[in-house]
Amino acid sequence: MNHQNRDEWIAKRAYALWEGCGREHGRNVEHWAQATREYDELERTRASADGQEVLVRFRPKPATTISPRRAEPGSAAMRG
């Protein structure tokens, strides 16, 4: 994301935080700082456009075949 989009996102988020706090004056620096932290966290955890790292992480494991258990001598299955 370019610098202009980043600043716009932060400004909108800071405004939403300000509204959420009842439009209290004097907390603009706090709201801007929180919005900046949130933006940075979103960018840090954002997946790539193709989602390749997610696909690798959550790729299904190959199916394994489980051979049926054989009845052991003397078990109820063997007595029949």
Side-chain angles (χ1 to χ4, degrees):
M1 188 175 278
N2 66 36
H3 190 66
Q4 183 179 359
N5 289 345
R6 178 183 188 273
D7 288 346
E8 183 179 334
W9 189 96
I10 291 171
K12 287 179 180 179
R13 180 61 182 139
Y15 185 83
L17 291 168
W18 175 68
E19 284 187 319
C21 288
R23 298 183 176 197
E24 292 180 45
H25 291 282
R27 297 182 60 196
N28 56 321
V29 173
E30 178 185 340
H31 294 144
W32 190 270
Q34 180 178 343
T36 302
R37 285 190 304 273
E38 290 177 13
Y39 178 86
D40 291 342
E41 185 67 17
L42 285 171
E43 282 296 302
R44 188 180 67 73
T45 59
R46 186 177 67 154
S48 62
D50 63 2
Q52 199 60 14
E53 70 283 352
V54 175
L55 293 175
V56 169
R57 186 172 182 190
F58 294 104
R59 181 173 292 139
K61 294 183 173 115
T64 57
T65 56
I66 301 172
S67 54
R69 288 180 57 189
R70 292 184 179 188
E72 295 184 24
S75 68
M78 289 293 286
R79 287 181 246 146

